[in-house]
Amino acid sequence: MRKIAKKSYLLISVLMLILLAACSGNGTVPASGDSSKNAGGPVSAKIGVISYLSGPGAAYGEAITNGFNLALDEINKKGDVKIELVIEDSAGKQEQALTVAQKLMSDDDIVGLLGPTLSTEMNVVGPEADLNGIPIMGTSTTAAGIPQIGDYVFRNSLPESLAIPAALEKAVAANDAKTVAILYGNDDLFTKSGYDTMKKEAENMGLDILTIETFQKGQSDYNAQLTKIKDLKPDLILASALYNEGAVIMDQARKMGIDVPFVGGNGFNSPQVIEIAGDASEGLIVATPWFGEKDEPKVQEFVKKYEEKYGAKPDQFAAQAYDALYIMEEGLKNAGEADRDALRDALAEIKDLDGVLGKFSFDKVGDVVMEPTVLIIKEGKFQLFE
Amino acid sequence: MLGELLNPYHLQIASFIMINIILGISIYITLSSGQLSLGNAGFMGIGAYTSALLTIHFELPIFIGVILGALVAGIFGILIGIPALRLSGVYLAIATLGFGEVIRVIFVNWESVTQGAVGLSGVPHLGRELFKTVTAMGFEPEMLGLRNNQVVYLMVLTLLVVINILLIWFFIRQNKSRVGRAFAAIKMDEKAAESMGINITYYKVLSFTQGALLAGFAGALYAHVMAYISPADFAYHRAIEILIFSVFGGSEVIWGAIFGATFMTILPEALRVISEYRYMIYGVILILMMAFRPQGIIDVSLLKWIKNMIKSRRRTDHGTGTKKHN
């Protein structure tokens, strides 16, 4: 017994030593006077970024950090506010998002957090950030209930509860639709949350829901669901799917002879749909905060700069991240000092800030107020839907 | 002074290490009787959801929720363990992996209770609840020169460390008892063990149930440390991760599972410096490991060697005292 107790003490002390050794090397050393307010000079602040940089969803994290870095260069060149980003990877896992958030939060120089990428991660990190009193802003977290976590939790990503009604309203008006069929992925937070909005909105608009069908992530055959939908002859099909499944669904539906328009959520909005489904993707209606072809100098300039730097067209995640850092800049500028509470209050005040996504404001819980753009796929590309 | 040492980041990692050690032991226990079970992620999910739902809807204290979560997982362990007796080796692995997926799909589809893929948020947080209790008793974090969140995570970690010491102590004792020897005999040769009069059915179900119980226990703790759970947390990735703890550290001895869980939790954090490449290194380490030390880092002979090292050092340390033995 004593031996075992001794052994376990030994083990624990060794573990603690390893832990300390492992974690001591990678802290960033703050330069002297870096994050304090320089008298008269611009506010300089450190902002922590939690992003999904390794694993199956790394493409999202990459687009997001590209967006941040592009905005960072511009902001620091402009010089109103000096920002330093500390970027950490969460690998899409809640545990890692939480530990890394702890790491960033325990650095007193860091005044705000951007990210994490997934809504599931935000559900874990948000309450902790709120408890510790550090403002956190999601740039890609669209599920319901995120800004309601606490006073310090914000987001600038257009939630499904705004995007879907906009798309649905326009689609119903244009097609004079009375009946709809709903199809959704039930094992993903994003698509499930989109479905909840679709159902609620369709009921509010007095549409007749003929059937509700489900599918799972990675499914490749949707004929069973589509046959049923075809027999019921709906005027519109509401599909809450991510683009990879969504494109296959459209392809199979068109082959079966279903030619009514599809209304999709934010996750369905990707140029990949056209690539995968080809002609079958015609008639997909989505609402999005981001439209790269928009005839606005600000948008075009951003697209050009992004393409020059990263060799690819920016997607909505990059655009949202780009805007998010500008929102942080505005917040810091208005706060006038690098302080967590001052930044929170300044962020909550932000109104009608011009970004590449359009005019941006926070509502009183820290959610997005903005007009989404409704797009339709026509002649092989996304076009404005009027 | 104490305040600077206790970084919430380090405390958080240490808490995850403790939970992962329990998971590592849970698979070590089933492996110790020669059964390869990949259903531990499913049992973990049962424990997590049971405890989370009970504490949210019936406002039970966390401590009762965790115990009930573990018990429910244990009952499922018995239910699965009995029919699974007829299977062994990879067949058992596939059947239990299937069980884990079934559990996950139930969590996804039973929306009225589990809220489906959206997951359960607002699970009472172990540390915050404990904090409320101690502050109500008149304790102030400033008395130790600590901040609130340091105290919260320090309490969680202390509790987990105590739980772990008790568990490890229990299983080391068990290994040296009749039960442990029966497990070892069954692992070596089932037929021979049976002919020696060991009740195979009883001991195999016992080890399977112990594994399920522990996984459920770890799951329940996980739910209250994260304060949010979703079905995706208990998918087969988790089952594989748990298996790696034990296989990497060494599946023959309990210290292997403990070491594996510790190492595998620290590694991704320690490699943060090299950011995007860290999972590559992680993979490379696993491959090298399997190529050069398939039995895992810690095995019986290594433990013996360490013991001898310690003994011989002691001999030199206390030169006069040990002369008698020579």
Side-chain angles (χ1 to χ4, degrees), chain A residues 1 3-12 15-16 18-20 22-26 53-55 88-91 93-100 102-106 108 119-121 123-124 127-128 131-132 184 186-189 192-193 195-196 214 216-217 340, chain B residues 5 7-14 16-18 20-21 104 108-109 111 115-119 121 125 128 147 149 152-153 157 161 165 168-169 172-173 176 222 225-230 233 238 241 255 258 262 266 268-270 272-273 275-276 278-279 307 310 314:
Chain A
M1 172 65 213
K3 231 179 169 181
I4 295 163
K6 235 184 200 171
K7 255 195 209 161
S8 38
Y9 288 138
L10 185 76
L11 182 85
I12 287 159
L15 293 189
M16 291 302 170
I18 294 175
L19 198 77
L20 285 176
C23 305
S24 58
N26 42 13
L53 292 171
S54 55
E88 295 284 358
D89 175 28
S90 71
K93 292 182 182 159
Q94 284 108 285
E95 294 104 308
Q96 291 216 11
L98 184 59
T99 44
V100 87
Q102 293 285 11
K103 183 180 175 186
L104 294 170
M105 284 187 281
S106 57
D108 287 330
S119 299
T120 47
E121 295 173 318
N123 268 326
V124 173
E128 203 51 46
L131 192 77
N132 287 326
Y184 76 102
N186 71 348
D187 59 348
D188 184 88
L189 173 57
K192 168 73 171 54
S193 168
Y195 154 74
D196 290 339
T214 62
Q216 277 80 42
K217 232 184 244 176
R340 291 176 179 184
Chain B
L5 269 178
N7 186 331
Y9 170 54
H10 298 165
L11 294 174
Q12 184 86 61
I13 298 173
F16 284 133
I17 290 175
M18 293 303 149
N20 285 342
I21 286 178
R104 188 184 64 84
V108 167
N109 286 297
E111 278 170 24
Q115 297 181 21
V118 174
S121 50
H125 188 277
R128 285 169 219 153
R147 273 181 291 170
N149 63 341
V152 167
Y153 286 97
L157 181 61
V161 169
I165 290 178
I168 294 169
W169 173 71
I172 287 178
R173 295 283 290 175
K176 290 182 179 154
Y222 175 86
V225 169
M226 298 296 281
Y228 167 78
I229 47 173
S230 72
D233 295 344
R238 176 78 65 181
E241 202 180 294
W255 299 107
I258 295 167
T262 313
I266 291 179
E269 293 301 326
R272 263 193 194 288
V273 202
S275 57
E276 292 105 84
R278 65 199 177 114
Y279 275 90
K307 238 176 233 166
I310 294 171
R314 265 194 203 144

Side-chain angles (χ1 to χ4, degrees), chain B residues 8 13 17 46 49 112 126 150 173 195 256 260 284 299 325-326:
Chain B
I13 298 173
I17 290 175
I46 293 176
Y49 268 92
S112 54
L126 186 58
Q150 284 174 321
R173 295 283 290 175
S195 65
V284 168
D299 62 355
H325 300 290
N326 295 336

Side-chain angles (χ1 to χ4, degrees), chain A residues 20-53:
Chain A
L20 285 176
C23 305
S24 58
N26 42 13
T28 42
V29 186
S32 56
D34 194 21
S35 58
S36 54
K37 189 190 172 192
N38 305 343
V43 183
S44 62
K46 266 202 216 172
I47 289 176
V49 176
I50 307 167
S51 197
Y52 189 169
L53 292 171

Side-chain angles (χ1 to χ4, degrees), chain A residues 82-251:
Chain A
K82 279 253 174 299
I83 295 180
E84 192 184 332
L85 290 181
V86 185
I87 299 175
E88 295 284 358
D89 175 28
S90 71
K93 292 182 182 159
Q94 284 108 285
E95 294 104 308
Q96 291 216 11
L98 184 59
T99 44
V100 87
Q102 293 285 11
K103 183 180 175 186
L104 294 170
M105 284 187 281
S106 57
D107 182 346
D108 287 330
D109 292 335
I110 291 179
V111 293
L113 296 179
L114 288 167
T117 306
L118 305 177
S119 299
T120 47
E121 295 173 318
M122 189 53 134
N123 268 326
V124 173
V125 174
E128 203 51 46
D130 191 52
L131 192 77
N132 287 326
I134 181 167
I136 181 167
M137 178 158 65
T139 66
S140 55
T141 43
T142 53
I146 297 283
Q148 284 81 6
I149 290 173
D151 288 342
Y152 287 84
V153 185
F154 299 86
R155 72 164 154 212
N156 84 327
S157 44
L158 190 73
E160 295 288 53
S161 53
L162 273 181
I164 287 171
L168 195 57
E169 227 165 84
K170 284 203 172 172
V172 167
N175 292 292
D176 196 19
K178 301 257 170 353
T179 57
V180 294
I182 304 181
L183 186 63
Y184 76 102
N186 71 348
D187 59 348
D188 184 88
L189 173 57
F190 190 85
T191 52
K192 168 73 171 54
S193 168
Y195 154 74
D196 290 339
T197 316
M198 278 178 180
K199 186 160 173 264
K200 206 172 100 206
E201 201 55 32
E203 278 165 0
N204 282 349
M205 292 172 72
L207 298 170
D208 190 8
I209 302 173
L210 299 175
T211 178
I212 296 169
E213 298 292 322
T214 62
F215 62 88
Q216 277 80 42
K217 232 184 244 176
Q219 191 170 326
S220 54
D221 178 19
Y222 303 92
N223 282 314
Q225 291 95 326
L226 290 171
T227 314
K228 193 168 171 201
I229 290 174
K230 193 186 172 193
D231 291 343
L232 293 166
K233 294 199 181 61
D235 297 331
L236 278 179
I237 297 175
L238 314 183
S240 179
L242 296 177
Y243 71 84
N244 26 11
E245 281 99 16
V248 179
I249 291 174
M250 287 202 75
D251 189 37

Side-chain angles (χ1 to χ4, degrees), chain B residues 224-269:
Chain B
H224 293 292
V225 169
M226 298 296 281
Y228 167 78
I229 47 173
S230 72
D233 295 344
F234 310 110
Y236 67 90
H237 298 108
R238 176 78 65 181
I240 303 299
E241 202 180 294
I242 299 172
L243 183 66
I244 291 176
F245 291 154
S246 181
V247 172
F248 180 89
S251 55
E252 290 170 21
V253 285
I254 195 167
W255 299 107
I258 295 167
F259 174 78
T262 313
F263 190 81
M264 282 299 163
T265 318
I266 291 179
L267 191 64
E269 293 301 326

Side-chain angles (χ1 to χ4, degrees), chain A residues 358-375:
Chain A
K359 281 212 183 309
F360 181 89
S361 316
F362 283 118
D363 69 3
K364 52 179 187 303
V365 291
D367 211 345
V368 183
V369 184
M370 71 189 314
E371 273 297 307
T373 318
V374 180
L375 304 176

